[in-house]
Amino acid sequence: MHQVPLGPEYTDLAPEVVSDRIRAAKATLGSRLVILGHHYQRDEIIEHADFRGDSYKLAKDAASHPEAEIIVFCGVHFMAESADILTPDSQTVILPNLAAGCSMADMANAFQVKSCWKQLTELGLDAGTVPVTYINSAASLKAFVGTHGGTVCTSTNAPAAVKWALGRGEKVLFFPDQHLGRNTGFSLGYNPKTDMVVWDPFKPLGGNTAEDLQRATFILWKGHCSVHQRFTVAQIEAARAKYPGVRVVVHPECPLEVVQAADENGSTEFILRTAQNAPAGSILAIGTEINLVNRLASENPDKTIFCLDPQICPCSTMYRIHPTFLLWALENLVAGTVLNAIRVPEEVAVPARRALQTMLTITG
Ligand code: SF4
């Protein structure tokens, strides 16, 4: 979908005017509206959010407020799709800027995944392979796993989802994030060198031999998060040298060697709780998106919290939800015009919902 550019009546506004007008539009819309803000959004967005969370928590927050007819999702496209899938038709999900995608989610599309499945089928491997998609993926991929007996997973429940898949088949096709797949397999005792292969969608058989694919337990899609792939072991070593006793906490979208060198790893919500629950005086080096790390630092002034990456590492696509886009969407709603509604077609939503419900059944 194409995002129309905003005119100077929005782009030329001073930040405080934008903020005041967002508040006014929000007040006018009242309980008809819920604004969701992903943890990686900038503070100027988060100040207007009714709920903050990671993608899955926010989708559940949307579903638990049926009185709100409009859900404005300040996150990226796949998140708004999940919220639309999990909410009734009476609720409309709006993404303030349609250009806010996710580079990781874009690394696997339905055409490529179907082509991969066809190649596995030609090798006779489809029957024993269970597809698992990370929630950071397009609705069409969730629909694919729903159609082929697989499940969705989050960074929290990936080990449970993969165990479930391996209880139903001999192999897991995991997409789109190779790192979450590899970290999960490793945590379950699998060897990345002998039990896992990487599927490159631009090469025949994903760049593997038929024997490689027959032998592997994990077929990991060649995708990654451009934010979390930046973290390195050298950064962890530098943090430990500068702050003896530092606790290093990273996201499992980071490479395996980084996760292994860290003290702990877990989802965005896990990182948040770890920082909040750390005793006063703690020093924490965090391997995740900079807006969240900076917010954790300012909300926990009794602790030293910093980002492992000394360079700024925002999620550039999340950053496209500029406050002027939020204002534009809200003021149009006040005027009775619904813009940027995300509607997943029923033929995609039904199997995608099945895959999300399978995940809920697995994790309870
Ligand atoms: Fe996608 Fe990574 Fe940005 Fe999350 S942080 S939205 S996975 S690019």
Side-chain angles (χ1 to χ4, degrees):
M1 284 191 282
H2 176 68
Q3 175 61 52
V4 294
L6 302 189
E9 69 278 19
Y10 282 102
T11 55
D12 289 354
L13 293 174
E16 52 282 9
V17 173
V18 173
S19 187
D20 288 348
R21 279 172 53 179
I22 290 173
R23 262 190 284 278
K26 204 179 158 192
T28 304
L29 292 162
S31 60
R32 291 175 58 210
L33 169 74
V34 163
I35 299 180
L36 305 177
H38 190 275
H39 288 307
Y40 299 169
Q41 292 288 317
R42 64 185 93 196
D43 289 346
E44 294 81 358
I45 291 290
I46 290 294
E47 69 173 284
H48 302 293
D50 297 299
F51 299 97
R52 289 191 224 176
D54 61 14
S55 60
Y56 185 59
K57 177 182 175 295
L58 290 176
K60 286 201 299 186
D61 286 336
S64 61
H65 287 83
E67 75 287 356
E69 67 194 78
I70 305 148
I71 310 288
V72 174
F73 206 125
C74 297
V76 295
H77 193 267
F78 76 78
M79 299 177 185
E81 283 186 329
S82 293
D84 182 57
I85 291 166
L86 291 172
T87 51
D89 289 347
S90 54
Q91 291 184 294
T92 300
V93 178
I94 288 173
L95 184 66
N97 182 350
L98 295 177
C102 162
S103 54
M104 177 206 283
D106 290 346
M107 289 176 191
N109 63 42
F111 176 81
Q112 292 169 323
V113 170
K114 284 177 187 166
S115 165
C116 167
W117 195 255
K118 183 166 175 278
Q119 293 175 70
L120 294 179
T121 304
E122 283 162 5
L123 293 175
L125 297 176
D126 56 319
T129 303
V130 179
V132 177
T133 189
Y134 188 21
I135 195 163
N136 295 22
S137 58
S140 55
L141 297 197
K142 295 182 178 84
F144 177 89
V145 300
T147 304
H148 291 85
T151 185
V152 177
C153 75
T154 66
S155 49
T156 302
N157 63 28
V162 166
K163 262 197 228 170
W164 171 88
L166 289 174
R168 295 169 67 92
E170 297 133 24
K171 294 182 195 298
V172 170
L173 171 61
F174 192 99
F175 43 83
D177 183 21
Q178 60 172 301
H179 298 299
L180 180 63
R182 190 175 293 112
N183 285 318
T184 302
F186 187 78
S187 74
L188 295 174
Y190 290 90
N191 184 325
K193 290 205 167 69
T194 55
D195 300 328
M196 306 182 194
V197 293
V198 174
W199 183 279
D200 181 341
F202 297 102
K203 293 182 177 166
L205 295 185
N208 303 286
T209 63
E211 293 72 33
D212 290 338
L213 292 164
Q214 274 148 0
R215 198 180 53 242
T217 305
F218 288 79
I219 302 171
L220 306 173
W221 198 266
K222 195 180 179 190
H224 64 266
C225 167
S226 48
V227 175
H228 291 103
Q229 192 167 271
R230 289 171 56 98
F231 295 105
T232 63
V233 174
Q235 291 165 355
I236 295 179
E237 286 168 351
R240 292 201 197 283
K242 189 165 177 192
Y243 298 97
V246 66
R247 199 168 153 194
V248 179
V249 189
V250 302
H251 195 283
E253 290 170 16
C254 295
L256 177 69
E257 65 276 13
V258 173
V259 169
Q260 291 310 304
D263 296 301
E264 289 156 273
N265 76 92
S267 67
T268 304
E269 291 289 338
F270 170 84
I271 292 171
L272 188 87
R273 280 196 311 278
T274 302
Q276 287 168 341
N277 296 337
S282 299
I283 306 174
L284 288 112
I286 310 278
T288 194
E289 202 272 346
I290 191 72
N291 281 293
L292 174 61
V293 179
N294 286 345
R295 197 170 304 120
L296 288 174
S298 67
E299 290 177 353
N300 295 273
D302 56 340
K303 301 157 203 174
T304 302
I305 296 177
F306 61 95
C307 184
L308 265 181
D309 188 342
Q311 310 297 320
I312 301 275
C313 57
C315 172
S316 57
T317 46
M318 285 267 181
Y319 217 61
R320 292 181 184 158
I321 307 290
H322 188 275
T324 49
F325 280 102
L326 176 58
L327 175 63
W328 170 77
L330 293 184
E331 290 192 336
N332 273 284
L333 285 168
V334 169
T337 306
V338 176
L339 295 170
N340 289 15
I342 303 299
R343 293 202 178 88
V344 179
E346 257 325 86
E347 66 272 20
V348 175
V350 169
R353 196 175 298 121
R354 190 184 311 138
L356 284 160
Q357 280 161 352
T358 300
M359 175 179 78
L360 291 179
T361 311
I362 296 165
T363 54

PDB file of all heavy atoms in Angstrom, residues 52 189 219 222 229 236 239 266 323 363:
ATOM      1  N   ARG A  52       1.072   0.403  25.999  1.00  0.00           N
ATOM      2  CA  ARG A  52       2.390   0.148  25.432  1.00  0.00           C
ATOM      3  C   ARG A  52       2.646  -1.350  25.488  1.00  0.00           C
ATOM      4  O   ARG A  52       2.194  -2.014  26.424  1.00  0.00           O
ATOM      5  CB  ARG A  52       3.489   0.731  26.322  1.00  0.00           C
ATOM      6  CG  ARG A  52       3.639   2.161  26.386  1.00  0.00           C
ATOM      7  CD  ARG A  52       4.979   2.382  27.134  1.00  0.00           C
ATOM      8  NE  ARG A  52       4.857   3.427  28.120  1.00  0.00           N
ATOM      9  CZ  ARG A  52       5.851   3.757  28.948  1.00  0.00           C
ATOM     10  NH1 ARG A  52       6.992   3.096  28.926  1.00  0.00           N
ATOM     11  NH2 ARG A  52       5.696   4.729  29.802  1.00  0.00           N
ATOM     12  N   GLY A 189      18.931 -27.809  22.629  1.00  0.00           N
ATOM     13  CA  GLY A 189      19.964 -28.843  22.568  1.00  0.00           C
ATOM     14  C   GLY A 189      20.389 -29.233  21.162  1.00  0.00           C
ATOM     15  O   GLY A 189      21.141 -30.202  20.992  1.00  0.00           O
ATOM     16  N   ILE A 219      15.208 -25.950   9.285  1.00  0.00           N
ATOM     17  CA  ILE A 219      15.458 -25.206   8.047  1.00  0.00           C
ATOM     18  C   ILE A 219      15.135 -23.754   8.397  1.00  0.00           C
ATOM     19  O   ILE A 219      13.971 -23.401   8.644  1.00  0.00           O
ATOM     20  CB  ILE A 219      14.576 -25.726   6.891  1.00  0.00           C
ATOM     21  CG1 ILE A 219      14.845 -27.223   6.671  1.00  0.00           C
ATOM     22  CG2 ILE A 219      14.841 -24.921   5.616  1.00  0.00           C
ATOM     23  CD1 ILE A 219      13.876 -27.890   5.692  1.00  0.00           C
ATOM     24  N   LYS A 222      16.545 -17.366   5.610  1.00  0.00           N
ATOM     25  CA  LYS A 222      17.627 -16.378   5.656  1.00  0.00           C
ATOM     26  C   LYS A 222      17.069 -14.965   5.820  1.00  0.00           C
ATOM     27  O   LYS A 222      17.096 -14.153   4.894  1.00  0.00           O
ATOM     28  CB  LYS A 222      18.489 -16.481   4.399  1.00  0.00           C
ATOM     29  CG  LYS A 222      19.809 -15.760   4.543  1.00  0.00           C
ATOM     30  CD  LYS A 222      20.644 -15.870   3.297  1.00  0.00           C
ATOM     31  CE  LYS A 222      21.952 -15.112   3.493  1.00  0.00           C
ATOM     32  NZ  LYS A 222      22.688 -15.003   2.250  1.00  0.00           N
ATOM     33  N   GLN A 229      20.578  -7.505  14.535  1.00  0.00           N
ATOM     34  CA  GLN A 229      21.755  -8.144  13.957  1.00  0.00           C
ATOM     35  C   GLN A 229      23.006  -7.278  14.148  1.00  0.00           C
ATOM     36  O   GLN A 229      24.124  -7.753  13.983  1.00  0.00           O
ATOM     37  CB  GLN A 229      21.526  -8.449  12.473  1.00  0.00           C
ATOM     38  CG  GLN A 229      22.615  -9.367  11.920  1.00  0.00           C
ATOM     39  CD  GLN A 229      22.283  -9.947  10.566  1.00  0.00           C
ATOM     40  OE1 GLN A 229      21.671 -11.006  10.476  1.00  0.00           O
ATOM     41  NE2 GLN A 229      22.687  -9.256   9.518  1.00  0.00           N
ATOM     42  N   ILE A 236      29.830  -6.528  23.756  1.00  0.00           N
ATOM     43  CA  ILE A 236      29.626  -7.091  25.102  1.00  0.00           C
ATOM     44  C   ILE A 236      30.947  -7.061  25.865  1.00  0.00           C
ATOM     45  O   ILE A 236      30.994  -6.668  27.047  1.00  0.00           O
ATOM     46  CB  ILE A 236      29.063  -8.531  25.013  1.00  0.00           C
ATOM     47  CG1 ILE A 236      27.660  -8.495  24.387  1.00  0.00           C
ATOM     48  CG2 ILE A 236      29.029  -9.197  26.385  1.00  0.00           C
ATOM     49  CD1 ILE A 236      26.996  -9.851  24.208  1.00  0.00           C
ATOM     50  N   ALA A 239      31.641  -3.577  27.039  1.00  0.00           N
ATOM     51  CA  ALA A 239      30.784  -3.205  28.169  1.00  0.00           C
ATOM     52  C   ALA A 239      31.295  -3.842  29.458  1.00  0.00           C
ATOM     53  O   ALA A 239      31.342  -3.201  30.517  1.00  0.00           O
ATOM     54  CB  ALA A 239      29.343  -3.631  27.900  1.00  0.00           C
ATOM     55  N   GLY A 266      15.856 -12.469  26.057  1.00  0.00           N
ATOM     56  CA  GLY A 266      14.404 -12.626  26.103  1.00  0.00           C
ATOM     57  C   GLY A 266      13.721 -11.532  25.303  1.00  0.00           C
ATOM     58  O   GLY A 266      14.362 -10.615  24.771  1.00  0.00           O
ATOM     59  N   PRO A 323       4.836  11.831  14.689  1.00  0.00           N
ATOM     60  CA  PRO A 323       3.618  12.388  15.296  1.00  0.00           C
ATOM     61  C   PRO A 323       2.690  13.096  14.303  1.00  0.00           C
ATOM     62  O   PRO A 323       1.467  13.103  14.492  1.00  0.00           O
ATOM     63  CB  PRO A 323       4.156  13.369  16.342  1.00  0.00           C
ATOM     64  CG  PRO A 323       5.488  12.814  16.709  1.00  0.00           C
ATOM     65  CD  PRO A 323       6.036  12.193  15.462  1.00  0.00           C
ATOM     66  N   THR A 363       0.764 -22.566  24.179  1.00  0.00           N
ATOM     67  CA  THR A 363       1.379 -21.847  25.311  1.00  0.00           C
ATOM     68  C   THR A 363       0.385 -21.569  26.443  1.00  0.00           C
ATOM     69  O   THR A 363       0.786 -21.144  27.512  1.00  0.00           O
ATOM     70  CB  THR A 363       1.982 -20.513  24.829  1.00  0.00           C
ATOM     71  OG1 THR A 363       0.974 -19.777  24.143  1.00  0.00           O
ATOM     72  CG2 THR A 363       3.146 -20.753  23.906  1.00  0.00           C
TER      73      THR A 363
END
